């Protein structure tokens, strides 16, 4: 997997939710490959620290674009504010996303529906709407949506989150159809269990409960997922990796996991 044949026309990547987890790992992976990086997130101090690391360690060019992906106007203003040299975004990684709680569908708080749907679904739509037309105009580009195994089948306590990730599959498939007469590519990367801050957010800051999710197995890391993203982006231009389901070896479905390793 390390022998990358990079299409050197792809030079600038925008990663949403880059301050931690899979997004941060993608930023590091793309910096290693020589990309210029536009990093979105909400935690400016974390983004600043990541920018410093990427600049010092990889000599990467980095622009920080802090905004909440749920805020369409802020997203538009942020993209408009990019210096001309940075406006040619070649790879869009729609990664920002989250789950809140493990509640039954009829007990999930409507405010939580809104946060998950607005971030995981409308956030992707917003960025895709802002960035894809430029890609079409330039005749090159790749949209990576970070979906989930949760989009393939619902699990107990996951109704709303699973619905958002099923929506990510539909949005990815629909966009691929809409772009079929262009050189652009669309990839839906669907990870299983990845140890990031995902479960800490799910359990509203309860790290002990979050740690138990991954105890007794070897979960994926953000870097494992970033490697899959890079594989898709570095495929020859005529090869479109449409969808990838990637999970730990000790996981078979969202709910069938061997905790004895
Ligand atoms: P993390 O919690 O580590 O990272 C999520 C990132 O998204 C955070 O940096 C967070 O920033 C950011 N984010 C959340 N909401 C917004 C917002 N409204 N605007 C901008 N940034 C936002 O978790 P992961 O890295 O695991 O999650 C990344 C993606 O991977 C998500 O889409 C998730 O659904 C998906 N995924 C994760 C799996 C896992 O097991 N971990 C498995 C399958 C898919 P902030 O600190 O500001 O909240
Ligand atoms: C994250 C994977 O199965 O915990 O999308 O929902 S799962």
């Amino acid at each position: 997997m390390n022998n990358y044949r990079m299409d050197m026309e792809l030079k600038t990547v925008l990663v949403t939710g880059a301050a931690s987890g899979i997004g941060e790992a993608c930023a590091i992976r793309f910096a290693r490959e020589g990309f210029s990086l536009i990093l979105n997130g909400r935690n400016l101090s974390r983004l600043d620290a990541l920018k410093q690391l990427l600049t010092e360690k990889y000599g990467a060019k980095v622009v920080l674009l802090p905004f909440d992906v749920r805020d369409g106007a802020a997203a538009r203003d942020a993209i408009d504010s990019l210096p001309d040299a940075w406006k040619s975004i070649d790879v869009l990684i729609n990664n920002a996303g989250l789950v809140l709680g493990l509640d039954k569908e009829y007990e999930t708080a409507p405010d939580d529906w809104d946060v998950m749907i607005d971030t995981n679904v409308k956030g992707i739509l917003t960025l895709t709407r802002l960035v894809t037309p430029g890609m079409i105009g330039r005749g090159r580009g790749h949209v990576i949506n970070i979906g989930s195994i949760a989009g393939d089948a619902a699990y107990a306590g996951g109704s709303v989150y699973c619905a958002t990730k099923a929506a990510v599959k539909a949005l990815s498939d629909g966009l691929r159809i809409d772009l079929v007469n262009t050189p652009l590519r669309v990839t839906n990367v669907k990870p299983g269990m990845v140890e990031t801050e995902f479960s800490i957010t799910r359990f509203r800051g309860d790290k002990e409960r979050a740690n138990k999710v991954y105890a007794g197995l070897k979960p994926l890391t953000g870097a494992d997922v970033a490697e899959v993203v890079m594989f898709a982006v570095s495929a020859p231009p005529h090869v479109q990796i449409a969808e990838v389901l990637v999970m730990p070896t000790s996981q078979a479905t969202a709910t069938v996991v061997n905790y004895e390793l």
Side-chain angles (χ1 to χ4, degrees):
M1 285 266 283
N2 285 327
N3 197 9
Y4 289 95
R5 196 220 62 80
M6 182 60 61
D7 175 357
M8 291 313 290
E9 280 204 88
L10 301 180
K11 293 187 183 108
T12 303
V13 60
L14 165 55
V15 186
T16 66
S20 61
I22 294 169
E24 179 185 30
C26 285
I28 293 168
R29 187 66 189 85
F30 279 71
R32 274 177 48 201
E33 218 60 47
F35 274 74
S36 298
L37 299 130
I38 304 169
L39 303 182
N40 158 262
R42 295 183 294 185
N43 186 327
L44 191 53
S45 61
R46 277 188 172 200
L47 287 176
D48 270 329
L50 180 59
K51 177 178 180 178
Q52 192 175 343
L53 170 86
L54 298 176
T55 309
E56 288 174 4
K57 193 162 177 190
Y58 302 107
K61 290 187 202 145
V62 181
V63 164
L64 300 183
L65 216 53
F67 61 86
D68 187 318
V69 298
R70 293 172 297 170
D71 184 340
R76 189 196 56 230
D77 291 348
I79 299 288
D80 284 350
S81 77
L82 284 169
D84 282 347
W86 287 84
K87 282 200 161 73
S88 300
I89 298 165
D90 301 313
V91 181
L92 168 62
I93 305 181
N94 279 316
N95 164 76
L98 80 172
V99 64
L100 291 175
L102 202 53
D103 303 310
K104 292 186 188 299
E105 190 170 313
Y106 52 84
E107 289 173 345
T108 305
D111 284 351
D112 289 349
W113 307 341
D114 287 345
V115 173
M116 288 185 269
I117 293 169
D118 290 351
T119 308
N120 301 359
V121 182
K122 289 165 78 177
I124 286 186
L125 277 168
T126 295
L127 269 295
T128 299
R129 182 177 166 83
L130 287 168
V131 173
T132 310
M135 290 177 168
I136 296 168
R138 290 184 294 279
R140 64 173 196 268
H142 197 146
V143 178
I144 303 275
N145 290 331
I146 304 297
S148 172
I149 195 172
D152 285 358
Y155 58 80
S159 280
V160 178
Y161 178 70
C162 294
T164 67
K165 292 300 183 178
V168 173
K169 173 171 170 54
L171 294 177
S172 306
D173 292 348
L175 184 63
R176 205 176 297 111
I177 291 165
D178 292 339
L179 295 172
V180 74
N181 60 342
T182 77
L184 275 59
R185 302 182 293 187
V186 180
T187 302
N188 180 18
V189 176
K190 307 188 299 183
M193 298 172 82
V194 193
E195 189 164 15
T196 61
E197 297 183 15
F198 177 83
S199 290
I200 300 173
T201 300
R202 160 167 264 163
F203 298 126
R204 303 174 203 276
D206 184 340
K207 290 188 182 168
E208 206 176 321
R209 193 171 172 201
N211 287 341
K212 284 187 187 146
V213 173
Y214 309 105
L217 80 149
K218 187 166 176 153
L220 298 181
T221 63
D224 294 325
V225 180
E227 203 63 35
V228 172
V229 172
M230 180 55 74
F231 180 77
V233 169
S234 58
H238 71 287
V239 177
Q240 178 166 224
I241 312 286
E243 196 170 288
V244 182
L245 174 63
V246 53
M247 56 192 154
T249 305
S250 54
Q251 179 173 21
T253 73
T255 52
V256 177
V257 178
N258 178 14
Y259 282 99
E260 290 168 14
L261 288 180

